[in-house]
Amino acid sequence: MAIDVLSQSAVEIAEKINSRVVLFLEAPPKEIESRILSNTELTVVVIGPVFDVRNRRLIRLSIPLTLDRESVLNLVSAFLLEQGLIKEGESFVYVSSSEIGIRPVKRNLFAVNGFFSQSRSVVQKLLEIAIELSIEGREGHPIGTIFVVGDVKNVMKHSHSMLPNPFKGHKINVLDRNSKEIIKEFAQLDGAFIVSSRGRILAAGVYLEVDPKSLDLRLPPGLGSRHIAAAGITKLTKATAISLSESGTIRIFKNGMMLLEYNPRMKY
């Protein structure tokens, strides 16, 4: 079985380079997990439908499967740094049913401290919706929008409504099965969605009051105003922001830094 052979090779590589983590990009058989945990001191990280971080040696992360490989590795790197499971400059080994690789970690590429917090499932769901909007648009037209998740009180202090709030008095939650089409419909409005850490949509069509000149934003050149606003609000608050440009590019920001950049329309 290919994954069995590759997993053994991944363990040997990890031990040779003094790595502390082996990442499975797809869930291996349980006996492989058990064997690694019993015979080594490595931490095993598995990408799949389950999120479970209670066991520090066997960690399960749910990351959208529609993301490209680079984005998945970026998110895992951010998690490992955030949880203190790996240090800047160290590497982890990743393995799938067809490949093995070594991933060095550089802190300045990632925004950590809270991305995989209580709002994790909310951010994941909004990321999935952003990917669908990037690919499909709305009624044949490209869509650009921002989702701001968490730290709602402070976000509201740095924003104002551009139109009557369509979600006022309604308890619509992004985790509800029937909310996706509603979110996609209102994504056509200018401005941002404000979403609580538990997923309730509090407002849409919100203007984010961000002055990038007064903030120390560590961003790559060439970003448009939508992405800069998304980055800025995460610098001013503890929120996480997902921005979608009309070109289809999705970016996630935390602490004023870009954690992920991905365009589902492009082939990587």
Side-chain angles (χ1 to χ4, degrees), residues 125-140:
K125 180 59 66 175
L126 289 172
L127 178 57
E128 292 172 354
I129 292 172
I131 290 171
E132 291 184 17
L133 284 170
S134 173
I135 297 171
E136 303 167 5
R138 194 65 176 167
E139 298 180 354

Side-chain angles (χ1 to χ4, degrees), residues 110-147:
F110 310 110
V112 292
N113 300 323
F115 180 79
F116 289 93
S117 61
Q118 179 184 4
S119 59
R120 178 206 58 82
S121 56
V122 175
V123 172
Q124 178 183 325
K125 180 59 66 175
L126 289 172
L127 178 57
E128 292 172 354
I129 292 172
I131 290 171
E132 291 184 17
L133 284 170
S134 173
I135 297 171
E136 303 167 5
R138 194 65 176 167
E139 298 180 354
H141 299 286
I143 292 293
T145 193
I146 301 173
F147 300 106

